[in-house]
Amino acid sequence: MNKKLFLTKTINYLSNNNKNIKIVYIPALYTIVCLLGIFIAFYPTILSRFALMQSDPGDTRLNNYFLEHSFQLLINKEYVGDLWSPAFFYPYENVLAFSENLFGSAPIYWLFRLFVSADLAFQIWMIAVSILGFASFVFLMRRYQVSHLLSAFGALLFAFSMPRINQIGHQQLLPQFFTPLAFFIGWEFFLQPTRKKITLFLLLTYLQVLAGIYLGWFLLFSLPIFFAIAYKLAPPSIRSNLLSYCRVDYKAIITITLVWAATMFLTLLPYLEAKSVLGKRPYSEVDTMLPRISSWFAVDSGSLWAPLLSSVSKSLPMPVEHRMFAGVIILFLIGVSVYTLFNSQNILTLERALVAKVCFFVFITLFILSLRLPFGISLWRIIYEVVPGASVIRAVTRIWLIAYFYLLIAGILCFDSLLQSTVFINRSILKLVIVSICCLIGISEQFIFNLPNYEKAPLLKETTEISSLMKQGCSVAYLSLNLEKPFFTDQLTAMWAGIEANIPVVNGYSSAPPPNYGDMGEPLKISQVLNWLSFFSKDISGNLCVISQKSKSLEKKDNFFAPLALQKNAILSSNFIFYAIKLPIEKIFRQEITLFEYPKIMRINLPVKIPIVVKNTSNFLWSIKGDKPTNLSYKWIGIDSQGKLTNIEGNRTQLPFDIAPGESAAINAVIKPPALPGKYTLILTMVQETVAWFSDKQSPYPKIDVTVTSNS
């Protein structure tokens, strides 16, 4: 009895101790693997103690701005921006719809922003949404009882793979954590449909769209493919159950779906309005970013695979968007999936077999649909024309975001099933060695040396300096660009200074500028800024503050404004000059029109061309854009052959380009004589449509005495 009691106690002790070991080991495993992924993706940030920001001062600062915009809406009652109209490209509205909005993941940023600065909150946000992506994929794998080690490994590949690290400067591609959850609930609905499941599934797809437009669109694009393949491959019992539920509860399904569709429509309505203004992406632009076979093997120069694969991306347009290779581990998972699904399917449970096969075929379908073959042949051309939203998706190469998701599900399920098969019974050491080698290779090959980054401090200092200037009585501001730097640097610095000072700015940066704004990469002259502000019906009063670097005097660029004595209103800071212009400014209609040769006799209704040079001596831009363009025109004043006094407005000759104050342009004025013979005076003058004729504003104009004769 004593021996039996001793053995019983020993077994119970070891059993309880094993449970304790598992309680410690499992969370530690996930923590270590996740921390490893975080380090691989964010080592410049971590090693610099958050002094360095990833990856460049372009899209990184833009995405940070969008999150800060939503935070200011939440906490600042005096904030000058509106939900869809942050105060850049001011006063144009709905500019947020030109880019991502990140509403779905913004609450995470808000939480950190309550305690730390905007830049630090953004860095923590990037890491946090990556952790959530890792956790959501672990949750999905554990739903299918995948081993803890492979669940952690698959989650690392999902959240911290090479393609995602390559795109870390496009932070809108990070918050993909709703996708695994939506997949899980969607699959549960497919197997055992209920109202609760379809509601939750549609909610999660909506949240993924809200978290990232690209992420959401690719998920929605893949789901009809996924469910179509699943229905085709599912056993009759599952299909019958699904159809029975749809027949019985169709009213609820229709109602829930309509509510989801209406909510989605209202959310995306600003984007539809923006598309109507900006137009869709030309297919020629999309074609440059369609995946080629070589795209799936393209890597960054800092990758461990660069010595072998760097030549692959040399012929690719915009190589940074084509770096889709996630390592040989992906090729291994494809091989394991093919072997398991087509040669050893018996090692899979019924549900695993169905899930893995469906996901693998979805991956293959996405690969084929997006692939660009030689001579520009691609099925994506049909997608571009037919599928809603496809015409505004430029970087189709980002389809890896959803394609690899499905492949990882299939590959990890097949690999785990293979390791649990009879082949590895009583071979736990061999199994551990195989898994360890795969994990070691798969994790190490995700590392990229010399990830791009920039130092935060100089830009933050410059932003603070400009913001302090804006606070000195500005109603609206514009920062003149320094062409020695990338244009987006100053545009974003102005936007950040504006949001800090709570002052709207004319500067702006997005995927495309608003109509009539001009080139984002070129600095605007003061006259162009004033012209931009005049496009809108909104009454803008107060001070327009124009800020320029000391070394770049505004008079040199736009010397028409020297008579306004702007230098008397100048305020100096360490690096910038600040000019204040009182708004609204009274327009001065002035012109210089020089004729070189002209006819003194014309025939009725027979147009002639007169070469002239026009010079803008006004104080505003002669713009050819908008609903109030400035054109060259003319008037006929005189007595026709019937003795009647005439004052005939002539046709318009459009200027070849916008003409700023002090600038000139040579044009051929097309003059059409009156319909009746007579002696006339031809007046040449500029006209701003619906505003004023320059000749009526006491501006000098040339007058020509012309005799108009009949055709005979």
Side-chain angles (χ1 to χ4, degrees), residues 664-680:
S664 303
I667 58 176
N668 285 318
V670 180
I671 309 296
K672 183 180 179 181
L676 294 174
K679 293 185 178 296
Y680 298 89

Side-chain angles (χ1 to χ4, degrees), residues 11 20 101 163 251 263 280 335 345 435 576 581 694:
I11 292 170
N20 292 332
N101 59 66
K251 291 183 180 180
T263 305
K280 64 182 182 180
Q345 190 171 329
V435 173
F576 295 92
I581 302 172
F694 284 45

